[in-house]
Amino acid sequence: MRDTMTDLKADQARFIAVLQEGPAAFPDGLFAGEPSRALLGLKAHANTISHARLVALEQTYPRTLEHLGHASFNALSREFIELPDVRQRKLMQIGEGFSAFLALRHPDRQVADLAAVEWAWLQSYHAADAPALALGDLAAYDEPGLLALEVVLHPSSRIVATGSAVTELFPEVEASCASCAAILVTRPLDTVRLLPLNRLQAQIAHGAQNCATMGNLLQTAIETLGEAEALSTVFALIEAGMLARPGG
């Protein structure tokens, strides 16, 4: 007796393989009619899908596209979208890992850093909304209450490690950071913000992921930076919208 569900899954798998791998995966008898006509249709469909993937990548990385130029970006993009794991993705996730790919394929580290920041920007923009902890909120607490205040990373917070002067490619960053080791990407309200961090500041930002209270964060910052710089760094992280209160 024919197992309809099993046959359907097998047919679907063959159909998807043809869509993803092209004419080389075309099995005899998959479509009714002349195979040559079906192949023409599949080639047109493959071209449409390929174009949609390229457009999605361009829309995900507009500044990387502008920086590289269309011809160079397009050549790298065509190679990237043909990677086996990339071919399986939905368009919204097509750009994941593009920065790591560029780091291997392009000699200028600034290009990979630029793409990494753009991907973090997109993830931050689409992150869940939550009230960010503001400096003004801290005035409501006495010293014991402030030290015991529970904090978590804001859902939009992303920390991007950098190895180049990538901040010069972002005019919205007030000043490029010659010793920039990371960029903090946040969206506390409607606008994505970028804050360049040096190595020690980046260490504090990363440490904030494991600091359950404001007291822990301050202690880590003071031990790392010293009191004067620790306070200014923590204030800058809060002002950027990096932190929130649990359940906020």
Side-chain angles (χ1 to χ4, degrees):
M1 182 176 178
R2 188 174 186 267
D3 188 334
T4 305
M5 289 301 296
T6 300
D7 289 343
L8 175 59
K9 289 181 179 179
D11 290 343
Q12 290 173 337
R14 284 193 293 270
F15 188 85
I16 291 171
V18 172
L19 293 180
Q20 292 176 341
E21 299 173 26
F26 187 84
D28 293 335
L30 180 59
F31 296 103
E34 291 294 327
S36 60
R37 300 301 301 172
L39 281 173
L40 283 175
L42 284 171
K43 288 178 180 178
H45 180 77
N47 287 336
T48 301
I49 291 178
S50 178
H51 178 71
R53 288 172 175 167
L54 290 172
V55 170
L57 210 57
E58 290 177 355
Q59 293 175 342
T60 301
Y61 297 101
R63 298 197 193 197
T64 307
L65 168 61
E66 181 181 4
H67 182 68
L68 283 172
H70 190 272
S72 180
F73 184 90
N74 186 263
L76 289 164
S77 297
R78 288 184 180 277
E79 184 180 353
F80 177 73
I81 66 173
E82 290 303 318
L83 295 176
D85 63 315
V86 177
R87 290 165 68 177
Q88 309 289 330
R89 298 178 191 166
K90 297 179 181 179
L91 290 182
M92 282 293 292
Q93 297 298 319
I94 194 72
E96 185 176 359
F98 191 50
S99 172
F101 170 82
L102 291 175
L104 296 173
R105 295 292 192 277
H106 200 282
D108 186 356
R109 173 62 188 270
Q110 194 176 44
V111 173
D113 286 348
L114 176 57
V117 176
E118 285 203 275
W119 180 253
W121 191 102
L122 191 65
Q123 298 304 300
S124 182
Y125 180 80
H126 289 292
D129 292 323
L133 182 67
L135 288 175
D137 297 333
L138 305 184
Y141 297 90
D142 58 15
E143 182 177 343
L146 180 59
L147 295 177
L149 177 65
E150 295 183 347
V151 293
V152 295
L153 284 186
H154 190 276
S156 69
S157 295
R158 303 291 187 276
I159 304 170
V160 182
T162 60
S164 68
V166 70
T167 51
E168 66 186 23
L169 301 178
F170 291 89
E172 62 269 43
V173 177
E174 293 184 0
S176 62
C177 178
S179 58
C180 180
I183 293 180
L184 172 65
V185 185
T186 59
R187 183 188 55 78
L189 294 172
D190 298 326
T191 304
V192 176
R193 302 178 182 179
L194 305 178
L195 179 66
L197 306 171
N198 63 34
R199 182 180 62 83
L200 293 179
Q201 291 168 338
Q203 186 175 329
I204 301 306
H206 279 292
Q209 301 175 78
N210 302 313
C211 289
T213 67
M214 183 62 68
N216 290 339
L217 177 58
L218 288 171
Q219 180 180 351
T220 299
I222 291 171
E223 291 174 351
T224 304
L225 300 170
E227 185 174 353
E229 190 176 348
L231 293 177
S232 63
T233 296
V234 171
F235 286 162
L237 296 178
I238 294 174
E239 190 172 20
M242 179 181 177
L243 300 177
R245 282 170 282 196

